[in-house]
Amino acid sequence: MSKVIIALDFANKQEVTDFLSNFENEQLFVKVGMELYYQEGPEIVRYIKGLGHKIFLDLKLHDIPNTVESAMRGLAKLGVDMTNVHAAGGIEMMEAAKRGLGDGPQLIAVTQLTSTSEEQMHHDQLIPVSLNESVVHYAQCAQKAGLEGVVCSPLESRMIKDATGDDFITVTPGVRPSTSDAGDQKRVMTPSQAFKNGSSYIVVGRPITRAANPKLAYDEIEEDFK
C-alpha cells in the first residue's frame, strides 16, 4: 500500500469520479477532507470505499469529549482507515475520540497546521513556546491518549519520532515536488526530504490533482518518496 495519500480536495462526486478514472485497477490511499465531505456527506466515503481505496477522513474534530466520542462512533460505521482530531482539544477529548472510534481505524491528532507560522502561533494562539516545542508536546499528549500518531509538518517528523518512538505515525501535508508552488503551505519539504526526515505518510493534493497527467505526477512523487 502506498504511503502517498492523495488529497481529494474536490467540490463534488463527479470531480472525484473523473479524477479516479486515471487510476483504474489501482488501489490508492486518499484523503477526504471538509470541502468534499460537507458537500457530499457520508455517501462519498461509501462510494470511494466501494471502489477499493483506503480513506483518511480528515475532519479534524474538536469539541467537548462527549460530542467527539459520539461523532466518532458514527464515523466508525463508515469503515474509514484513518481519521483525526485536533490535539488542542486535550487528552480527555482525544481519549473520548479513541473510545468512540474503537479498534478499527487509526486515529491521529493535528498538531499545528502546516499553514501556521511560528509568528502566527505566538500572535493568534498566544502560545509562548517555540513551534517545535508546541508540536512535540501535542504529539506526546496524543500518544498519552492512546492515539496512533499525528498530523504535522514534514520538518517536525523526526523530532516527533525522537520524542515518541519510531512506531508513532507522522502524517505530513506540506509536501511539494521541487517544481511546485508552495501555495498556502508555509512549512514544506519535497517528498525525498520528507522521507529522509522520517515521515510515515505524505499528503499531496494539487501537485497531483491539478497535474496535466495525474497518474504520472503520482508515480513520480511516489518514487521520490521512496
Side-chain angles (χ1 to χ4, degrees), residues 50-62:
L51 297 176
H53 302 303
K54 294 183 67 174
I55 295 179
F56 166 28
L57 185 59
D58 178 27
L59 299 183
K60 302 181 181 72
L61 273 62
H62 187 175

PDB file of all heavy atoms in Angstrom, residues 50-62:
ATOM      1  N   GLY A  50     -16.168   1.717  -1.888  1.00  0.00           N
ATOM      2  CA  GLY A  50     -16.697   0.720  -2.808  1.00  0.00           C
ATOM      3  C   GLY A  50     -15.805   0.483  -4.012  1.00  0.00           C
ATOM      4  O   GLY A  50     -15.863  -0.586  -4.639  1.00  0.00           O
ATOM      5  N   LEU A  51     -14.972   1.479  -4.322  1.00  0.00           N
ATOM      6  CA  LEU A  51     -14.008   1.337  -5.421  1.00  0.00           C
ATOM      7  C   LEU A  51     -12.727   0.632  -4.974  1.00  0.00           C
ATOM      8  O   LEU A  51     -11.844   0.376  -5.785  1.00  0.00           O
ATOM      9  CB  LEU A  51     -13.663   2.716  -5.990  1.00  0.00           C
ATOM     10  CG  LEU A  51     -14.818   3.497  -6.636  1.00  0.00           C
ATOM     11  CD1 LEU A  51     -14.343   4.893  -7.061  1.00  0.00           C
ATOM     12  CD2 LEU A  51     -15.391   2.749  -7.840  1.00  0.00           C
ATOM     13  N   GLY A  52     -12.633   0.357  -3.675  1.00  0.00           N
ATOM     14  CA  GLY A  52     -11.480  -0.387  -3.164  1.00  0.00           C
ATOM     15  C   GLY A  52     -10.337   0.451  -2.629  1.00  0.00           C
ATOM     16  O   GLY A  52      -9.254  -0.078  -2.351  1.00  0.00           O
ATOM     17  N   HIS A  53     -10.562   1.754  -2.472  1.00  0.00           N
ATOM     18  CA  HIS A  53      -9.488   2.620  -1.996  1.00  0.00           C
ATOM     19  C   HIS A  53      -9.515   2.762  -0.472  1.00  0.00           C
ATOM     20  O   HIS A  53     -10.569   2.651   0.157  1.00  0.00           O
ATOM     21  CB  HIS A  53      -9.608   4.008  -2.633  1.00  0.00           C
ATOM     22  CG  HIS A  53      -9.584   3.985  -4.127  1.00  0.00           C
ATOM     23  ND1 HIS A  53      -8.540   3.433  -4.852  1.00  0.00           N
ATOM     24  CD2 HIS A  53     -10.495   4.410  -5.046  1.00  0.00           C
ATOM     25  CE1 HIS A  53      -8.799   3.544  -6.150  1.00  0.00           C
ATOM     26  NE2 HIS A  53      -9.977   4.129  -6.289  1.00  0.00           N
ATOM     27  N   LYS A  54      -8.356   3.051   0.116  1.00  0.00           N
ATOM     28  CA  LYS A  54      -8.260   3.364   1.535  1.00  0.00           C
ATOM     29  C   LYS A  54      -8.533   4.854   1.739  1.00  0.00           C
ATOM     30  O   LYS A  54      -8.201   5.672   0.867  1.00  0.00           O
ATOM     31  CB  LYS A  54      -6.873   3.010   2.066  1.00  0.00           C
ATOM     32  CG  LYS A  54      -6.563   1.525   2.058  1.00  0.00           C
ATOM     33  CD  LYS A  54      -5.202   1.231   2.662  1.00  0.00           C
ATOM     34  CE  LYS A  54      -5.151   1.523   4.150  1.00  0.00           C
ATOM     35  NZ  LYS A  54      -3.839   1.099   4.755  1.00  0.00           N
ATOM     36  N   ILE A  55      -9.132   5.189   2.886  1.00  0.00           N
ATOM     37  CA  ILE A  55      -9.536   6.578   3.114  1.00  0.00           C
ATOM     38  C   ILE A  55      -9.014   7.103   4.445  1.00  0.00           C
ATOM     39  O   ILE A  55      -9.194   6.486   5.500  1.00  0.00           O
ATOM     40  CB  ILE A  55     -11.074   6.726   3.082  1.00  0.00           C
ATOM     41  CG1 ILE A  55     -11.616   6.418   1.683  1.00  0.00           C
ATOM     42  CG2 ILE A  55     -11.489   8.142   3.500  1.00  0.00           C
ATOM     43  CD1 ILE A  55     -13.124   6.513   1.574  1.00  0.00           C
ATOM     44  N   PHE A  56      -8.396   8.278   4.369  1.00  0.00           N
ATOM     45  CA  PHE A  56      -8.099   9.098   5.539  1.00  0.00           C
ATOM     46  C   PHE A  56      -9.173  10.181   5.574  1.00  0.00           C
ATOM     47  O   PHE A  56      -9.199  11.076   4.729  1.00  0.00           O
ATOM     48  CB  PHE A  56      -6.695   9.699   5.405  1.00  0.00           C
ATOM     49  CG  PHE A  56      -6.383  10.824   6.375  1.00  0.00           C
ATOM     50  CD1 PHE A  56      -6.977  10.911   7.618  1.00  0.00           C
ATOM     51  CD2 PHE A  56      -5.448  11.794   6.020  1.00  0.00           C
ATOM     52  CE1 PHE A  56      -6.675  11.953   8.493  1.00  0.00           C
ATOM     53  CE2 PHE A  56      -5.130  12.826   6.885  1.00  0.00           C
ATOM     54  CZ  PHE A  56      -5.747  12.912   8.117  1.00  0.00           C
ATOM     55  N   LEU A  57     -10.093  10.082   6.532  1.00  0.00           N
ATOM     56  CA  LEU A  57     -11.178  11.055   6.662  1.00  0.00           C
ATOM     57  C   LEU A  57     -10.681  12.191   7.546  1.00  0.00           C
ATOM     58  O   LEU A  57     -10.552  12.055   8.766  1.00  0.00           O
ATOM     59  CB  LEU A  57     -12.424  10.394   7.255  1.00  0.00           C
ATOM     60  CG  LEU A  57     -13.668  11.279   7.343  1.00  0.00           C
ATOM     61  CD1 LEU A  57     -14.075  11.803   5.968  1.00  0.00           C
ATOM     62  CD2 LEU A  57     -14.827  10.521   7.984  1.00  0.00           C
ATOM     63  N   ASP A  58     -10.437  13.323   6.919  1.00  0.00           N
ATOM     64  CA  ASP A  58      -9.750  14.452   7.558  1.00  0.00           C
ATOM     65  C   ASP A  58     -10.763  15.528   7.949  1.00  0.00           C
ATOM     66  O   ASP A  58     -10.940  16.515   7.258  1.00  0.00           O
ATOM     67  CB  ASP A  58      -8.713  15.000   6.565  1.00  0.00           C
ATOM     68  CG  ASP A  58      -7.970  16.208   7.089  1.00  0.00           C
ATOM     69  OD1 ASP A  58      -7.836  16.347   8.318  1.00  0.00           O
ATOM     70  OD2 ASP A  58      -7.515  17.029   6.265  1.00  0.00           O
ATOM     71  N   LEU A  59     -11.434  15.310   9.090  1.00  0.00           N
ATOM     72  CA  LEU A  59     -12.447  16.265   9.557  1.00  0.00           C
ATOM     73  C   LEU A  59     -12.000  17.051  10.791  1.00  0.00           C
ATOM     74  O   LEU A  59     -12.692  17.973  11.208  1.00  0.00           O
ATOM     75  CB  LEU A  59     -13.763  15.540   9.853  1.00  0.00           C
ATOM     76  CG  LEU A  59     -14.405  14.831   8.657  1.00  0.00           C
ATOM     77  CD1 LEU A  59     -15.730  14.211   9.068  1.00  0.00           C
ATOM     78  CD2 LEU A  59     -14.613  15.788   7.489  1.00  0.00           C
ATOM     79  N   LYS A  60     -10.876  16.671  11.397  1.00  0.00           N
ATOM     80  CA  LYS A  60     -10.270  17.449  12.484  1.00  0.00           C
ATOM     81  C   LYS A  60     -11.271  17.781  13.590  1.00  0.00           C
ATOM     82  O   LYS A  60     -11.460  18.945  13.943  1.00  0.00           O
ATOM     83  CB  LYS A  60      -9.649  18.730  11.941  1.00  0.00           C
ATOM     84  CG  LYS A  60      -8.587  18.536  10.869  1.00  0.00           C
ATOM     85  CD  LYS A  60      -8.025  19.881  10.420  1.00  0.00           C
ATOM     86  CE  LYS A  60      -6.975  19.727   9.342  1.00  0.00           C
ATOM     87  NZ  LYS A  60      -7.564  19.335   8.026  1.00  0.00           N
ATOM     88  N   LEU A  61     -11.884  16.764  14.173  1.00  0.00           N
ATOM     89  CA  LEU A  61     -12.871  17.016  15.215  1.00  0.00           C
ATOM     90  C   LEU A  61     -12.243  17.732  16.413  1.00  0.00           C
ATOM     91  O   LEU A  61     -11.126  17.425  16.825  1.00  0.00           O
ATOM     92  CB  LEU A  61     -13.508  15.700  15.681  1.00  0.00           C
ATOM     93  CG  LEU A  61     -14.731  15.225  14.877  1.00  0.00           C
ATOM     94  CD1 LEU A  61     -14.386  14.946  13.432  1.00  0.00           C
ATOM     95  CD2 LEU A  61     -15.344  13.991  15.531  1.00  0.00           C
ATOM     96  N   HIS A  62     -12.984  18.691  16.951  1.00  0.00           N
ATOM     97  CA  HIS A  62     -12.521  19.479  18.094  1.00  0.00           C
ATOM     98  C   HIS A  62     -13.749  20.014  18.814  1.00  0.00           C
ATOM     99  O   HIS A  62     -14.349  20.990  18.393  1.00  0.00           O
ATOM    100  CB  HIS A  62     -11.626  20.628  17.613  1.00  0.00           C
ATOM    101  CG  HIS A  62     -10.970  21.393  18.729  1.00  0.00           C
ATOM    102  ND1 HIS A  62     -10.056  22.391  18.479  1.00  0.00           N
ATOM    103  CD2 HIS A  62     -11.086  21.321  20.076  1.00  0.00           C
ATOM    104  CE1 HIS A  62      -9.636  22.897  19.632  1.00  0.00           C
ATOM    105  NE2 HIS A  62     -10.261  22.272  20.612  1.00  0.00           N
TER     106      HIS A  62
END
